[in-house]
Amino acid sequence: MHRRLRVVITVAAAAVSLAACGGSGGDNAALPGSPDAASSAPAPSATASAATSPSAAVLSSYLGFWDALIAANTASDPALPALAAAAAEPQLGKARKAIRVNKTQGVSLRGTVTHKPKVTASSPASATVEDCYDVSRWTPVDVKTGQKIDVTEANGTGRYRARYTLRRSGGGWRVTDQVALGGC
């Protein structure tokens, strides 16, 4: 059970790479990953965002990545097309690996993740987003029983800081990497 919980927390906190709960920064899963199919703050549509500003388009794509990540975790489906549309390697592989591990162990992550993202760098080809996100309401659930799995993280708050790299892909942006920055 300890191993299962460690993976779940690494995924949630990692959103992909969170080094929470004993996870290391080396092979972090995206989830964390990061931390349901909708963030608490609705993402603006890509069309409206692109018309408003390049930063708004980046943030919309970033929050869309989280929507896809949460949906894939909820469904225990690492092949969810929305995930591939929102992420690219190596982040896509990290997310899929974490979801597969959880699926094998009969665990799904369900609930919501809240965000406080901001674009910290942007060029025509790439952008960086730093976020303080809260996964305390993104709960591991036993798929067979539907029961929540109690996970306790020593001194944990469920809030993590991370830096995400996005690359322009076609007319939008895709998350390609994530670096854990600790708590927030």
Side-chain angles (χ1 to χ4, degrees):
M1 179 75 107
H2 176 68
R3 179 182 159 111
R4 174 191 303 177
L5 296 181
R6 181 175 172 160
V7 171
V8 170
I9 292 302
T10 300
V11 170
V16 153
S17 162
L18 306 183
C21 231
S24 72
D27 186 34
N28 291 328
L31 328 242
S34 68
D36 92 332
S39 315
S40 69
S45 73
T47 308
S49 298
T52 307
S53 75
S55 291
V58 168
L59 289 176
S60 177
S61 294
Y62 168 73
L63 292 172
F65 161 74
W66 271 95
D67 290 346
L69 179 65
I70 292 168
N73 273 283
T74 299
S76 297
D77 183 2
L80 193 72
L83 189 57
E89 296 302 333
Q91 195 62 39
L92 178 59
K94 291 176 186 179
R96 286 180 165 166
K97 178 181 177 183
I99 295 164
R100 275 192 306 271
V101 167
N102 282 349
K103 182 176 182 176
T104 299
Q105 296 176 348
V107 175
S108 173
L109 295 170
R110 302 195 181 147
T112 59
V113 177
T114 58
H115 300 273
K116 292 183 181 176
K118 66 179 179 175
V119 176
T120 57
S122 182
S123 74
S126 68
T128 303
V129 172
E130 289 192 14
D131 190 6
C132 173
Y133 57 95
D134 186 340
V135 296
S136 62
R137 293 187 180 176
W138 197 26
T139 308
V141 173
D142 182 301
V143 175
K144 288 182 182 177
T145 66
Q147 298 295 311
K148 291 182 181 181
I149 298 171
D150 186 35
V151 179
T152 304
E153 177 187 0
N155 300 316
T157 64
R159 293 187 314 265
Y160 303 96
R161 282 186 327 114
R163 179 178 305 121
Y164 294 83
T165 302
L166 290 84
R167 300 267 182 238
R168 186 173 294 282
S169 176
W173 297 88
R174 290 171 50 188
V175 174
T176 59
D177 202 12
Q178 180 264 337
V179 175
L181 300 175
C184 53

